[in-house]
Amino acid sequence: MPRFHRLATALAALLLAAPAAAQDFSQVEIETTKVAEGVYALKGAGGNLGLVVGSDRAFLIDDQYAPLVPKIRAAIAAVTDKPVSFVLNTHWHGDHVGGNEAFAESGTLVVAHDNVRTRLSTDQVMAAFDRTVPAAPKGALPVITFSDQVTFHVGGHTVRAIHIPSAHTDGDAIVQLPETNVIHTGDLVFYGLYPVVDYSNGGSLKGMADATARLLEMSDENTRFIPGHGPVVIGRQELAEYLEMLRVVHARLEKLIGEGKTLEEVIAARPTAEFDEKWGKGFLPPDRWVRINYQGMAPAKDAK
């Protein structure tokens, strides 16, 4: 199994199984990749981070888990001595917001879509994984929120956060860096593995596909994307392959559900068959991914 598949499997298990406090992060190392001038991707044990370094300050995209904050700080310090003025959460899941409180305590302003603060403020249920996520501490809540988009000016870099409705969740944001032609996709993109679609919290497979199509429309042949999970940098061709998989599987599921097929019949039809070799070796094996999407897409009476 390729290294990024192993990492993705481990981080998804961390997100969807035990709380961060119960995990052993002692062996996790933060790997830093330069994506463009002043733009870096950091990989650890959660969603891929983005770091924008301007002439006067730094801007962090997501912050993984609280126990990893010292290692994340050390990785940042290795490329800049500028203060991290902002951290933007691409959505509310724990492997993207776990460091909020620690960064906020040191003066970093936490920013996210309105729905991220709403989700973090109260207990949330992820029905597909039979998990209840407790409300975050008050100190971990975003102190700046936005409804559509917000723009930051970070010492020579424009950092534009854009809300994407009903995709991975209902509070997703992508981050566009026009000067360097880089886009951080958050968890709209799980490259090389089937993506988590959080139907309980406003997500949908169709929304994931529509969001990916929008990312392609915003890009050109030279755009570099930092996915939420998988390798830290992909190009337009890889994103187009991901979109094709999402579109085809969604259309097949929609057709089978429309024909009144049961869950067992849909799984037996193998709607993901030709994609399983490339996408089905991560945290979610094909049958489980089909089950999650069937239960999210089918009428309530048929979804069990």
Side-chain angles (χ1 to χ4, degrees):
M1 182 182 291
R3 184 170 182 276
F4 75 81
H5 280 142
R6 295 197 302 270
L7 288 170
T9 298
L11 65 86
L14 287 170
L15 166 63
L16 300 169
Q23 306 302 318
D24 178 11
F25 294 97
S26 62
Q27 301 304 310
V28 175
E29 299 297 332
I30 306 298
E31 300 177 7
T32 302
T33 300
K34 186 173 183 178
V35 181
E37 193 60 40
V39 180
Y40 302 84
L42 282 64
K43 178 180 283 291
N48 294 330
L49 308 182
L51 176 67
V52 182
V53 179
S55 58
D56 55 352
R57 67 189 70 230
F59 186 105
L60 185 63
I61 303 167
D62 288 330
D63 52 31
Q64 296 191 352
Y65 295 101
L68 290 176
V69 169
K71 294 183 178 184
I72 294 170
R73 290 191 193 280
I76 294 171
V79 298
T80 183
D81 60 358
K82 301 297 188 295
V84 178
S85 296
F86 302 97
V87 59
L88 184 136
N89 300 147
T90 59
H91 61 291
W92 72 273
H93 289 160
D95 62 321
H96 296 258
V97 305
N100 280 8
E101 189 170 27
F103 275 102
E105 286 174 350
S106 63
T108 299
L109 295 175
V110 180
V111 185
H113 184 262
D114 296 333
N115 291 342
V116 173
R117 182 178 170 96
T118 298
R119 296 283 182 194
L120 288 175
S121 297
T122 59
D123 294 355
Q124 299 297 316
V125 174
M126 298 181 73
F129 303 96
D130 193 26
R131 183 181 174 207
T132 298
V133 182
K138 184 177 180 180
L141 300 179
V143 296
I144 300 172
T145 63
F146 61 96
S147 60
D148 181 29
Q149 62 179 277
V150 62
T151 301
F152 301 83
H153 302 279
V154 183
H157 292 274
T158 303
V159 181
R160 184 174 298 119
I162 303 168
H163 176 232
I164 304 294
S166 187
H168 177 60
T169 69
D170 62 5
D172 300 301
I174 60 171
V175 183
Q176 184 182 34
L177 309 172
E179 287 85 3
T180 55
N181 202 6
V182 174
I183 299 174
H184 191 299
T185 73
D187 276 8
L188 301 180
V189 180
F190 284 59
Y191 190 77
L193 62 161
Y194 288 132
V196 173
V197 184
D198 190 353
Y199 287 93
S200 299
N201 294 284
S204 74
L205 184 58
K206 181 181 186 301
M208 292 279 278
D210 290 346
T212 304
R214 182 172 176 182
L215 287 167
L216 281 170
E217 291 170 358
M218 294 170 60
S219 68
D220 59 35
E221 293 302 322
N222 297 314
T223 304
R224 283 155 291 184
F225 300 92
I226 302 174
H229 296 287
V232 293
V233 183
I234 63 172
R236 203 166 189 271
Q237 180 177 340
E238 289 84 1
L239 194 67
E241 292 171 357
Y242 177 69
L243 175 59
E244 174 70 6
M245 180 272 292
L246 295 177
R247 287 281 197 229
V248 170
V249 174
H250 177 263
R252 288 175 180 168
L253 288 173
E254 194 170 52
K255 181 175 183 294
L256 290 165
I257 291 168
E259 293 171 350
K261 301 296 186 185
T262 66
L263 172 59
E264 291 72 22
E265 289 171 332
V266 171
I267 290 174
R270 301 187 63 211
T272 65
E274 72 268 38
F275 301 111
D276 291 345
E277 179 64 25
K278 182 177 180 67
W279 306 93
K281 297 181 178 179
F283 171 68
L284 293 174
D287 287 1
R288 190 175 186 196
W289 194 58
V290 169
R291 178 183 295 272
I292 289 170
N293 284 294
Y294 179 93
Q295 291 173 334
M297 293 172 62
K301 65 182 179 63
D302 301 326
K304 294 183 179 179

